[in-house]
Amino acid sequence: MNFLDCYQQAGKIAAEVRENTRKKYHVGSTLFQICQSIESEVIVKGAAPAFPVNVSLNDVAAHYTAEPNDQIVVNDTDVLKIDIGVHVQGYIADTAVTICYNPKYDALVKSAETALNEAVRIAKVNTKASDIGKVIERAISKQGFKPIQNLSGHSLEQYTIHAGRSIPNIWTIGSSFNLVSNQAYAIEPFVTTKDGQGVVFEGKVRNIFSITSRKPTKEKEIDEFLEDIWNRFKTLPFALRWMLGKYEEKTARQFIDALIKKRNIHAYPILVEGNGKMVAQAEHTLIPSESYINIITV
Ligand code: MN
Ligand code: MN
């Protein structure tokens, strides 16, 4: 398979899994059950998760995944962002849906989806990233909401989710770039309410990790653990629960902590809305073409 076929395959699976998740009733399920079920479905369909499923509730915008046996339960007033990554040979499709059990926030969710739809409609070869930001901001403001200004879409490369280029969710003056062909980009508006700050801050919880260095620590067991992570995930993010089975939870946690201290592993903090307000998200991955719009996660 050439790389474009890998992207299309990853995108097709990510879209199917996202739509199945959208249709399900999650109230009463634990975040652990939701993550496990989505990740298993990706594997059954013949691909692999590109990162641990993000299940971010309410004012948490992103980067929460289930702890081993996470007992947090979805309740009937929650706004739940489910962000799914699928890869085929390292080529990643990144897509997200917001599931809303509080009718008060239906319009918030809809504004993220509308902004995404308007943004992908203009995303072709040579489209300016700043124009995408402008379209997103305008669509969100028009509906009386606020974009999260310090979260953005991104270019993707093989085994790399954030590959250097950012696609803003607001209109920014100054440096921009034009979309190029054969390059994958994720577009992902995040929206909060008028009384939100429109900015996210790092929270205390960190339960998504990725390798930043393979430099040996000279502790045999930890170095083997590090090599195991490298062999399974390369530079892609992983979760503690993915290391269990082969390792005891306590041991795996100790090894991860040691590797964070040695700077072999980066831990991603959760991202929380500055005023503690609700956040909704929508996301697609696309590969621009001159003549048509190629959204691989539709
Ligand atoms: Mn995503
Ligand atoms: Mn993304």
Side-chain angles (χ1 to χ4, degrees), residues 135-290:
V135 163
I136 290 172
E137 180 170 19
R138 196 191 292 149
I140 292 170
S141 309
K142 215 165 66 184
Q143 292 168 85
F145 299 109
K146 235 184 217 183
I148 303 280
Q149 53 179 277
N150 61 342
L151 287 175
S152 56
H154 48 94
S155 55
L156 299 125
E157 297 283 356
Q158 191 180 25
Y159 291 109
T160 306
I161 295 163
H162 289 259
R165 293 293 202 184
S166 290
I167 301 185
N169 287 327
I170 53 163
W171 186 58
T172 46
I173 310 165
S175 73
S176 183
F177 65 96
N178 294 353
L179 303 192
V180 298
S181 60
N182 291 333
Q183 168 71 59
Y185 301 93
I187 300 183
E188 49 182 319
F190 285 85
V191 191
T192 188
T193 49
K194 260 254 151 75
D195 52 354
Q197 196 173 338
V199 175
V200 289
F201 293 92
E202 296 183 349
K204 284 208 178 89
V205 176
R206 293 165 188 257
N207 56 22
I208 298 175
F209 312 100
S210 68
I211 288 190
T212 48
S213 161
R214 289 173 69 203
K215 189 169 170 246
T217 64
K218 290 174 183 127
E219 284 186 63
K220 191 168 171 280
E221 279 184 301
I222 295 181
D223 288 340
E224 280 171 9
F225 182 79
L226 185 62
E227 275 312 288
D228 194 20
I229 295 169
W230 173 256
N231 290 332
R232 289 176 61 193
F233 314 121
K234 302 284 181 284
T235 44
L236 292 174
F238 63 95
L240 172 61
R241 57 194 163 75
W242 288 3
M243 303 311 293
L244 307 185
K246 192 166 171 185
Y247 303 89
E248 295 281 338
E249 183 176 335
K250 205 177 143 201
T251 313
R253 212 180 272 278
Q254 278 169 359
F255 288 176
I256 288 173
D257 286 344
L259 288 163
I260 292 169
K261 273 210 187 94
K262 299 252 183 198
R263 295 175 187 266
N264 291 81
I265 283 179
H266 173 71
Y268 298 84
I270 58 166
L271 300 171
V272 188
E273 210 292 313
N275 286 347
K277 299 301 173 187
M278 286 288 181
V279 178
Q281 175 202 15
E283 180 175 26
H284 274 311
T285 299
L286 54 89
I287 299 173
S289 132
E290 308 268 353

